[in-house]
């Protein structure tokens, strides 16, 4: 039996999230106090040594990012560093950040202040999706309490370090969760992506060095500072230490979230924490990572859920979303709703994605209507999504290939037969 292991969801459901005193009584802001006794470089070193990887989806090394941002030279005369927390959480099937923001908001705010100190940021923004009204209210309340107790604002705990954090409410665009698009939106512009490089660490918000991290990533930082790198690296796997919040939905008896060590298997997540496939049905597939994710079949049930193991098997961990499908569910229908989602969320700025998302849907509808040779049509879908992956301007247009390719690899037998 695998046990839950709570770092980012620590104390969720156990303390009153509206009370800073409850947070303080559970050891809250001790990591910040310790941080302020250390040099910023020591915090950067600790995060790098911990092996923490971004929990927003890409799994990029948080240590490298924080190091690059801290070392980046400002390109403008008036130099200012920023920290931005990505709380947009738009990936279908993903609701992990909401759990932290609603259940223990001071934890990620404390992590954000520590990360800000490490890169000497003077100003921070939390970008939250507008639909998350409770997360917004809880975060707003926590920020006010932190300010009142001297954990935020000028001369934090008389350390000489000052930081202000403001909230920005998103307007419901999936693309605005992509870091560079988010920065455009924060600057008050339309949510169109920027070309990378330059990366935010070098030229981010208002052209200044910017550290941008996901809520869950930041929620790991206080524990790393308090318990140390050795403690953290003992959890999870060698290349992906720590824990991950997985959100279980679809045909699972007990939908919800679970935080477990990286490397837990899909079977453990579904059977042990999710209570098995709902209604006593049989497992057919899981969509891992949401719409920008991959279908995996039964043979993946004992694969370890961590970035590199999944990548080696042409699957992704992404945001940690696990959407379970029983045998009575259609892969073709799920693929259809994923492609509709991308068509709807495409910003239209570049041709491969604007036209490609439309064409993928047309092809799938032709197949559903049995108006084409299915095998040929699916080969055309794959070619189309490969072109999109190679030529689209931003990662949104590069994402449909994941679902299309994994559906074809593992479920071609189902896709090619007429299921109507
Ligand atoms: C289309 C798209 C949407 C994204 N949405 C989110 C999101 O809602 N939340 C998030 O944290 N990261 C999202 N990301 C990933 C971010 O671009 C970025 O990698 C992340 O904020 C970095 O933080 P981390 O290093 O802590 O993971 C998205 C990426 C893409 C391409
Ligand atoms: S890939 Fe899609 S979402 Fe990204 S810029 Fe092009 S049209 Fe917009």
């Amino acid at each position: 039996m695998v046990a839950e292991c709570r770092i980012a969801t620590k104390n969720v459901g156990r303390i009153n999230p509206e009370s800073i005193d409850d947070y303080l009584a559970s050891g809250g802001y001790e990591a910040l106090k310790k941080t302020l006794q250390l040099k910023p470089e020591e915090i950067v070193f600790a995060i790098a040594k911990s092996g923490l990887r971004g929990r927003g989806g890409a799994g990029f090394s948080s240590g490298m990012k924080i190091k690059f941002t801290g070392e980046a030279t400002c390109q403008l005369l008036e130099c200012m560093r920023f920290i931005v927390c990505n709380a947009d959480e738009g990936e279908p099937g993903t609701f992990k950040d909401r759990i932290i923001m609603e259940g223990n908001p001071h934890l990620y705010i404390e992590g954000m202040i520590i990360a800000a100190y490490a890169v000497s940021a003077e100003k921070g923004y939390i970008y939250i999706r507008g639909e998350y009204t409770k997360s917004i209210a809880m975060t707003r309340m926590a920020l006010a309490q932190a300010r009142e107790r001297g954990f935020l604002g000028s001369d934090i705990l008389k350390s000489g370090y000052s930081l202000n954090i403001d909230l920005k409410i998103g307007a419901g665009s999936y693309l605005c969760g992509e870091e560079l698009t988010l920065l455009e939106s924060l600057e008050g512009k339309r949510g169109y992506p920027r070309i990378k490089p330059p990366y935010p660490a070098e030229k981010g918000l208002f052209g200044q060095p910017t550290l941008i991290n996901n809520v869950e990533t930041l929620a790991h930082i206080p524990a790393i500072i308090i318990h140390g790198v050795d403690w953290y690296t003992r959890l999870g796997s060698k290349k992906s230490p720590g824990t991950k919040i997985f959100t279980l939905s679809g045909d699972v008896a007990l939908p919800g979230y679970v935080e477990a060590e990286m490397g837990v298997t899909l079977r453990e997540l579904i059977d042990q924490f999710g209570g098995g496939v709902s209604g006593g049905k049989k497992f057919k597939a899981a969509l891992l990572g949401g719409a920008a994710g991959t279908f995996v079949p039964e043979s993946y049930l004992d694969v370890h859920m961590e970035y590199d193991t999944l990548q080696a098997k042409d699957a992704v961990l992404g945001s940690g979303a696990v959407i379970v499908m029983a045998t009575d569910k259609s892969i073709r229908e799920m693929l259809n709703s994923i492609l509709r989602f991308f068509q709807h969320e495409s910003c239209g700025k570049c041709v491969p994605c604007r036209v490609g998302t439309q064409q993928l849907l047309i092809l799938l509808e032709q197949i559903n209507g049995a108006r084409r040779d299915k095998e040929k049509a699916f080969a055309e879908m794959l070619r189309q999504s490969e072109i999109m992956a190679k030529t689209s301007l931003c990662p949104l247009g590069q994402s449909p290939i994941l679902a299309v390719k994994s559906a074809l690899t593992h479920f071609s037998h189902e896709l090619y037969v007429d299921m109507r």
Side-chain angles (χ1 to χ4, degrees):
M1 287 277 276
V2 178
E4 269 189 285
C5 184
R6 289 171 172 247
I7 295 178
T9 58
K10 188 177 167 223
N11 292 324
V12 169
R14 293 185 186 136
I15 62 169
N16 175 4
E18 296 183 6
S19 162
I20 192 169
D21 290 318
D22 270 24
Y23 185 66
L24 292 171
S26 68
Y29 289 110
E30 288 301 321
L32 177 60
K33 287 180 196 160
K34 187 173 170 186
T35 295
L36 296 173
Q37 310 290 320
L38 299 168
K39 293 196 187 90
E41 308 88 81
E42 292 176 274
I43 303 300
V44 172
F45 184 73
I47 293 172
K49 284 281 276 183
S50 75
L52 177 66
R53 296 172 71 163
R55 303 299 200 249
F60 189 73
S61 157
S62 305
M64 286 219 311
K65 213 149 94 167
I66 206 165
K67 188 168 179 288
F68 291 153
T69 315
E71 288 173 356
T73 42
C74 294
Q75 301 186 353
L76 302 175
L77 226 54
E78 208 174 307
C79 181
M80 191 168 179
R81 275 165 217 278
F82 292 99
I83 181 156
V84 174
C85 172
N86 190 342
D88 200 46
E89 190 144 84
E91 193 61 57
T94 310
F95 46 90
K96 66 193 182 67
D97 297 340
R98 180 162 66 82
I99 306 296
I100 300 168
M101 291 189 280
E102 291 184 3
N104 194 5
H106 282 288
L107 183 66
Y108 86 99
I109 290 171
E110 184 178 2
M112 186 170 174
I113 304 169
I114 296 169
Y117 175 78
V119 298
S120 308
E122 292 163 61
K123 176 87 196 170
Y125 291 95
I126 300 174
Y127 189 98
I128 306 191
R129 63 182 295 122
E131 296 91 332
Y132 274 11
T133 48
K134 191 167 173 198
S135 297
I136 294 166
M138 300 304 286
T139 296
R140 191 168 275 143
M141 187 185 296
L143 287 174
Q145 291 172 347
R147 248 177 249 124
E148 205 177 281
R149 300 293 179 99
F151 299 121
L152 258 182
S154 28
D155 196 13
I156 296 173
L157 301 175
K158 311 238 176 306
S159 64
Y161 175 63
S162 303
L163 175 76
N164 280 307
I165 298 179
D166 284 341
L167 269 187
K168 165 87 182 173
I169 315 299
S173 152
Y174 172 64
L175 185 55
C176 282
E178 190 278 322
E179 55 189 13
L180 287 168
T181 316
L182 186 154
L183 295 181
E184 286 285 290
S185 173
L186 258 182
E187 289 179 8
K189 300 181 199 146
R190 185 174 176 164
Y192 269 165
R194 296 179 191 167
I195 291 171
K196 279 193 223 186
Y199 292 91
E202 188 192 337
K203 199 170 174 216
L205 190 61
F206 302 114
Q208 304 279 17
T210 303
L211 178 68
I212 173 159
N213 275 130
N214 169 259
V215 173
E216 187 186 355
T217 314
L218 294 171
H220 279 248
I221 293 177
I224 294 171
I225 301 301
I226 284 291
H227 301 299
V229 167
D230 290 344
W231 167 82
Y232 191 77
T233 51
R234 277 199 294 273
L235 301 170
S237 69
K238 199 159 180 258
K239 286 190 175 168
S240 304
T243 58
K244 178 80 193 84
I245 309 175
F246 298 93
T247 49
L248 306 174
S249 63
D251 293 326
V252 66
L254 302 168
Y257 75 92
V258 59
E259 185 174 4
E261 284 186 51
M262 280 276 194
V264 62
T265 66
L266 185 56
R267 191 188 299 281
E268 284 160 344
L269 287 177
I270 296 171
D271 289 349
Q272 195 180 315
F273 298 111
V277 181
S278 52
K281 290 183 211 161
K282 227 178 141 308
F283 176 89
K284 176 195 269 186
L287 179 62
L288 304 183
T294 45
F295 290 102
V296 296
E298 210 179 349
S299 59
Y300 277 58
L301 281 172
D302 294 311
V303 169
H304 295 284
M305 299 282 284
E306 53 107 13
Y307 299 105
D308 303 292
T309 311
L310 285 168
Q311 200 187 351
K313 291 185 75 66
D314 291 326
V316 295
L317 180 68
S319 60
V322 177
I323 304 172
V324 178
M325 296 173 70
T327 40
D328 60 350
K329 291 293 174 340
S330 156
I331 298 287
R332 228 192 278 170
E333 271 170 30
M334 186 62 115
L335 191 56
N336 191 56
S337 70
I338 291 171
L339 296 179
R340 268 189 198 290
F341 175 78
F342 282 123
Q343 183 209 26
H344 182 258
E345 296 297 337
S346 167
C347 79
K349 188 174 178 178
C350 69
V351 176
C353 171
R354 186 177 67 231
V355 178
T357 48
Q358 182 83 23
Q359 280 184 347
L360 286 175
L361 258 179
I362 293 171
L363 281 165
L364 191 64
E365 271 157 22
Q366 284 178 350
I367 295 163
N368 286 341
R371 285 194 295 275
R372 288 193 56 168
D373 173 336
K374 288 185 177 32
E375 209 158 333
K376 268 200 193 139
F378 276 116
E380 177 57 23
M381 280 183 77
L382 190 57
R383 199 183 69 89
Q384 180 69 46
S385 47
E386 267 162 4
I387 293 171
M388 288 171 67
K390 284 187 188 138
T391 56
S392 291
L393 193 63
C394 88
L396 190 145
Q398 294 152 9
S399 298
I401 189 159
L402 295 168
V404 171
K405 202 171 180 178
S406 57
L408 273 173
T409 306
H410 304 295
F411 298 97
S412 59
H413 55 285
E414 178 179 318
L415 296 174
Y416 295 153
V417 296
D418 198 346
M419 288 195 54
R420 288 165 306 135

